[in-house]
C-alpha cells in the first residue's frame, strides 16, 4: 500500500510539473505574440505618420496678379511659363524630422470668368477636405481688391454648393476650421518644435477644454476650406507713394480692410514680393504647416507695411482697430472704393482690339481733290515758261482767248521740274494740227527750224523752247553720268 501511494504521489508530481511547464510555454508564446503585435502596430503607426500624397492647393485670382510667378517661386523655378485655362504644377515638400518627402499638387485657374467650368478638375467631392485655397490680389491695383475678392469668394462658394457634399462631411470641415482658430497659440522662435507648449494643427490631440472662445467677427462666412489671401507685388508701394501720392494712412486703411475680410472668412494673410523675395519662404513653410502639420515658428508680422503676415487665428477686431488710430483723413467705416479710388490716368486696358471706322469714299476723294487744288495754287509757274512769255508777247487779237486744251496745257506747266516740261512737250505733240491751210491772225512769221513755211504761235513756241531746254539738260546729265561711271571703272 505504501509503495502504491508513493508511486501515485510521484506520478501526480510529474503531471503537475508537466502542466506547469506547458503553462510557461504558452505564456512565453503569448508574450512573443504580444511582442510581435506591438512591433507591428508600432511600424504601422510610424507608417501612418508619413506625409500624405493626396493634398493639393488651388490658386484663384484675376489675371496679372502674379499667380504663376508666385507658384514658380515656391517651386524654386526662375523662369516661369504662363499657361492657359487650368495649369497644374507641384511643389516638393520634405519633412526633415522624419526624413520623408512628398509632392504637393498645385492647380492655378485662369482669371478669365469663362474658365470657371474647369474648377471641378481641381476641387471635387473626393479632395474637398484635402485642399487649401490661395486667393491672390496685386498691390499694383489695390482699388480692385473689393471686387476681386468678393467675386472669387462667390465663385468658390457656388462651386462648393454644386459638389453636393454630405451634410455631415461639410459640417465636419467647418468645425475643423473653427477648432483651428480656437486652438491657435502664438509660438516664437525660442520654443522647440517638440515642446508641449506648442500646439500642433492636429485637432484630434487637443481637448475641447483647451479651446479658446472664437473671437468676435471671425468665420462669419465658413466654407470649410483653409484659405490664404496673398497680396503680391508689394514692392510697388513705393510707386504708389511717388506717382499717386499714397501715404501711410492709405496703406493702413488698405491693411485694416483686408484683415477684416480675412477675419470674416477665416483666412490667413500674407504680403509678398517675389522681386524683393519678401515672405516667400515663410509662405512655403506656412503652407506645409497648415497642410501637413509641419512646425511653423514665425509669429504674426505687422510692423513692416510691405511684409505683413497674419496667421489664421491670431487676428481680432481689437488688434485691427490699432491701425485705425493713426488715420485722420479716413475712417474704418468708410466704404473701401470711396477711399481707394482708381487713378484717372490709369484706365483698365481692354484686351479687345480697337475697331477701325472706314471713311466714306466720296468724302475721301473730295478731301484729296481739295488738297490737290491747294497744292496747285501754292505752286508757281515754270521759270522757263515765264521767260518765254516775256520774250514772245501775245498779239492783241489773241488776248483773253484760250481753248480748253490750252487751259489744260497751262495747268500742266505748273508741275515742277522735269515732269512739267515733259508734260508740256507731249501735250504739244498731241494737240499739234498738221496741214493748216491758212495762217491764223495771231501767228508770228517765224520759220520752222526744219525749213517749212508753217508758222508757230507764241504758246507753241514757248512749249518748243521749254522742250528743247529740257532735252538739252537731260543730255548733259546723261553725259555726266556716263563720264562718272567711266571714271569709276
Amino acid at each position: 500500500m505504501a509503495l502504491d501511494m508513493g508511486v501515485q504521489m510521484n506520478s501526480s508530481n510529474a503531471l503537475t510539473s508537466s502542466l506547469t511547464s506547458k503553462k510557461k510555454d504558452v505564456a512565453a508564446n503569448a508574450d512573443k505574440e504580444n511582442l510581435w503585435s506591438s512591433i507591428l502596430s508600432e511600424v504601422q503607426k510610424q507608417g501612418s505618420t508619413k506625409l500624405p500624397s493626396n493634398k493639393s492647393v488651388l490658386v484663384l485670382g484675376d489675371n496679372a496678379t502674379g499667380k504663376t510667378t508666385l507658384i514658380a517661386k515656391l517651386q524654386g523655378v526662375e523662369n516661369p511659363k504662363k499657361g492657359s485655362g487650368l495649369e497644374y504644377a507641384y511643389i516638393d515638400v520634405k519633412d526633415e524630422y522624419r526624413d520623408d518627402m512628398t509632392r504637393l499638387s498645385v492647380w492655378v485657374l485662369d482669371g478669365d470668368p469663362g474658365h470657371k467650368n474647369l474648377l471641378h478638375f481641381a476641387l471635387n467631392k473626393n479632395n474637398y477636405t484635402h485642399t487649401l485655397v490661395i486667393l491672390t490680389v496685386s498691390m499694383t491695383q489695390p482699388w480692385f481688391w473689393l471686387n476681386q475678392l468678393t467675386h472669387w469668394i462667390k465663385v468658390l462658394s457656388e462651386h462648393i454648393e454644386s459638389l453636393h457634399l454630405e451634410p455631415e462631411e461639410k459640417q465636419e470641415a467647418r468645425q475643423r476650421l473653427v477648432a483651428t482658430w480656437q486652438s491657435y497659440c502664438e509660438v516664437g522662435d525660442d520654443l522647440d518644435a517638440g515642446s508641449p507648449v506648442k500646439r500642433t494643427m492636429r485637432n484630434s490631440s487637443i481637448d475641447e477644454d483647451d479651446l479658446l472662445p472664437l473671437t468676435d467677427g471671425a468665420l462669419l462666412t465658413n466654407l470649410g476650406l483653409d484659405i490664404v489671401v496673398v497680396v503680391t507685388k508689394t514692392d510697388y508701394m513705393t510707386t504708389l507713394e511717388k506717382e499717386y501720392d499714397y501715404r501711410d494712412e492709405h496703406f493702413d486703411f488698405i491693411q485694416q480692410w483686408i484683415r477684416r475680410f480675412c477675419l470674416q472668412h477665416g483666412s490667413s494673410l500674407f504680403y509678398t514680393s517675389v522681386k524683393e523675395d519678401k515672405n516667400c519662404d515663410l509662405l512655403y513653410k506656412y503652407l506645409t504647416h497648415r497642410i501637413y502639420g509641419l512646425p511653423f515658428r514665425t509669429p504674426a508680422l505687422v510692423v513692416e507695411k510691405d511684409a505683413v503676415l497674419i496667421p489664421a487665428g491670431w487676428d481680432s477686431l481689437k488688434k485691427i482697430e490699432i491701425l485705425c488710430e493713426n488715420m485722420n483723413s479716413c475712417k474704418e467705416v468708410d466704404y473701401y472704393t470711396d477711399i481707394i479710388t482708381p487713378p484717372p490716368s490709369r484706365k483698365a486696358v481692354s484686351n479687345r482690339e480697337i475697331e477701325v471706322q472706314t471713311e466714306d469714299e466720296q468724302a475721301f476723294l473730295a478731301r484729296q481733290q481739295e488738297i490737290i487744288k491747294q497744292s496747285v495754287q501754292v505752286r508757281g509757274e515754270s521759270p522757263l515758261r515765264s521767260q518765254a512769255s516775256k520774250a514772245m508777247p501775245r498779239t492783241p487779237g489773241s488776248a483773253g482767248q484760250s481753248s480748253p486744251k490750252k487751259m489744260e496745257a497751262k495747268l500742266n506747266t505748273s508741275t515742277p521740274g522735269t515732269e512739267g516740261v515733259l508734260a508740256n512737250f507731249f501735250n504739244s505733240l498731241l494737240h499739234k494740227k498738221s496741214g493748216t491751210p491758212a495762217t491764223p491772225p495771231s501767228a508770228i512769221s517765224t520759220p520752222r527750224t526744219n525749213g517749212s513755211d508753217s508758222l508757230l504761235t507764241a504758246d507753241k513756241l514757248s512749249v518748243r523752247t521749254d522742250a528743247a531746254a529740257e532735252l538739252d539738260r537731260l543730255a548733259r546729265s546723261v553725259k555726266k553720268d556716263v563720264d562718272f561711271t567711266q571714271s569709276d571703272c
Side-chain angles (χ1 to χ4, degrees):
M1 290 293 294
L3 182 59
D4 294 337
M5 291 180 64
V7 173
Q8 293 177 357
M9 290 292 292
N10 290 333
S11 61
S12 63
N13 290 335
L15 180 61
T16 303
S17 61
S18 63
L19 292 174
T20 303
S21 62
K22 288 181 179 180
K23 289 181 180 180
K24 290 181 179 179
D25 293 340
V26 171
N29 292 332
D31 291 340
K32 288 182 180 180
E33 291 179 0
N34 293 333
L35 178 61
W36 284 111
S37 299
S38 62
I39 293 175
L40 180 60
S41 62
E42 185 177 355
V43 170
Q44 291 177 349
K45 184 178 179 180
Q46 290 179 355
S48 63
T49 58
K50 290 185 178 181
L51 298 178
S53 59
N54 59 344
K55 302 293 183 179
S56 61
V57 173
L58 173 61
V59 184
L60 302 176
D62 282 22
N63 291 330
T65 56
K67 301 188 297 293
T68 303
T69 305
L70 177 65
I71 297 303
K73 181 65 175 180
L74 298 180
Q75 290 179 295
V77 178
E78 295 182 357
N79 298 320
K81 294 183 179 180
K82 179 76 170 63
S84 60
L86 183 65
E87 303 177 55
Y88 174 78
Y90 64 86
I91 301 175
D92 292 326
V93 179
K94 186 176 182 181
D95 185 0
E96 298 178 355
Y97 296 94
R98 289 174 287 194
D99 194 19
D100 189 16
M101 187 172 182
T102 188
R103 285 182 174 180
L104 175 62
S105 300
V106 181
W107 298 91
V108 182
L109 183 66
D110 192 278
D112 191 342
H115 294 133
K116 291 190 299 183
N117 58 335
L118 301 176
L119 263 179
H120 69 277
F121 293 103
L123 180 61
N124 49 56
K125 190 175 181 179
N126 297 327
N127 65 352
Y128 167 73
T129 57
H130 304 288
T131 302
L132 181 144
V133 178
I134 293 179
L135 299 179
T136 60
V137 290
S138 175
M139 187 58 74
T140 57
Q141 296 177 329
W143 40 86
F144 291 147
W145 287 10
L146 173 62
N147 295 332
Q148 291 176 356
L149 291 176
T150 305
H151 166 72
W152 288 112
I153 285 292
K154 182 180 178 181
V155 169
L156 190 60
S157 178
E158 292 177 352
H159 179 70
I160 294 174
E161 291 296 329
S162 67
L163 297 179
H164 302 292
L165 300 170
E166 296 295 333
E168 295 80 8
E169 183 180 3
K170 189 182 297 185
Q171 182 62 28
E172 183 181 354
R174 292 175 178 175
Q175 187 60 36
R176 183 172 59 251
L177 189 58
V178 172
T180 300
W181 273 71
Q182 292 177 325
S183 61
Y184 174 81
C185 180
E186 186 172 351
V187 179
D189 294 334
D190 54 339
L191 295 180
D192 185 74
S195 174
V197 179
K198 179 182 180 300
R199 298 177 181 179
T200 62
M201 297 303 298
R202 301 184 182 185
N203 298 326
S204 58
S205 63
I206 301 175
D207 297 331
E208 293 183 0
D209 296 337
D210 296 335
L211 297 178
L212 300 175
L214 196 62
T215 183
D216 294 337
L219 283 172
L220 299 180
T221 303
N222 191 344
L223 300 179
L225 291 173
D226 288 336
I227 300 177
V228 180
V229 177
V230 179
V231 178
T232 62
K233 305 178 184 180
T234 57
D235 53 277
Y236 197 76
M237 285 184 171
T238 56
T239 304
L240 293 176
E241 292 175 339
K242 295 178 180 178
E243 297 184 4
Y244 303 107
D245 196 24
Y246 271 54
R247 299 182 298 275
D248 289 339
E249 59 181 348
H250 289 91
F251 297 117
D252 290 341
F253 181 83
I254 293 173
Q255 185 187 144
Q256 65 88 24
W257 179 87
I258 198 169
R259 284 173 62 178
R260 290 177 189 273
F261 176 88
C262 293
L263 182 67
Q264 178 182 350
H265 296 84
S267 308
S268 311
L269 177 63
F270 275 77
Y271 276 32
T272 63
S273 173
V274 175
K275 182 178 180 180
E276 298 183 357
D277 196 15
K278 288 191 176 181
N279 279 354
C280 295
D281 292 339
L282 292 178
L283 177 61
Y284 169 81
K285 293 180 179 179
Y286 186 76
L287 293 178
T288 58
H289 169 64
R290 292 297 300 269
I291 297 173
Y292 300 105
L294 299 182
F296 182 76
R297 308 180 187 181
T298 304
L301 304 175
V302 294
V303 177
E304 297 183 11
K305 62 183 180 180
D306 58 347
V308 178
L309 190 164
I310 307 293
W314 178 87
D315 217 350
S316 64
L317 292 177
K318 291 184 179 180
K319 294 178 181 178
I320 296 175
E321 290 175 356
I322 297 176
L323 287 171
C324 304
E325 296 177 356
N326 299 325
M327 295 189 304
N328 298 322
S329 61
C330 56
K331 299 179 181 179
E332 67 275 10
V333 295
D334 293 337
Y335 196 66
Y336 182 79
T337 54
D338 291 340
I339 304 301
I340 309 301
T341 58
S345 59
R346 285 182 175 266
K347 297 182 180 180
V349 179
S350 176
N351 293 329
R352 186 177 62 182
E353 296 182 357
I354 300 176
E355 184 178 0
V356 179
Q357 297 291 340
T358 59
E359 186 179 0
D360 183 68
E361 181 181 1
Q362 296 301 323
F364 172 77
L365 295 176
R367 184 162 53 85
Q368 297 301 321
Q369 184 181 15
E370 186 66 24
I371 294 174
I372 293 175
K373 288 181 179 180
Q374 293 178 0
S375 63
V376 169
Q377 293 177 359
V378 172
R379 291 172 180 172
E381 195 176 20
S382 174
L384 294 177
R385 178 62 183 268
S386 300
Q387 294 176 1
S389 299
K390 292 179 181 179
M392 301 296 296
R394 292 179 180 272
T395 59
S398 64
Q401 298 179 358
S402 61
S403 64
K405 293 183 179 181
K406 290 184 178 181
M407 290 295 296
E408 182 179 356
K410 291 180 180 180
L411 290 176
N412 289 333
T413 58
S414 62
T415 306
T418 307
E419 295 180 358
V421 176
L422 291 178
N424 292 333
F425 174 73
F426 287 110
N427 284 332
S428 67
L429 294 179
L430 292 174
H431 300 157
K432 180 179 179 182
K433 295 181 180 180
S434 60
T436 304
T439 303
S442 60
I444 302 176
S445 299
T446 304
R448 292 181 182 269
T449 57
N450 57 3
S452 63
D453 296 335
S454 301
L455 298 177
L456 296 177
T457 63
D459 291 340
K460 292 183 178 181
L461 182 61
S462 175
V463 170
R464 180 66 58 84
T465 304
D466 293 345
E470 180 61 20
L471 291 175
D472 186 33
R473 187 185 66 80
L474 290 175
R476 288 197 302 271
S477 62
V478 170
K479 184 178 180 181
K480 289 181 180 179
D481 292 339
V482 173
D483 296 340
F484 181 75
T485 304
Q486 293 178 355
S487 64
D488 290 341
C489 296

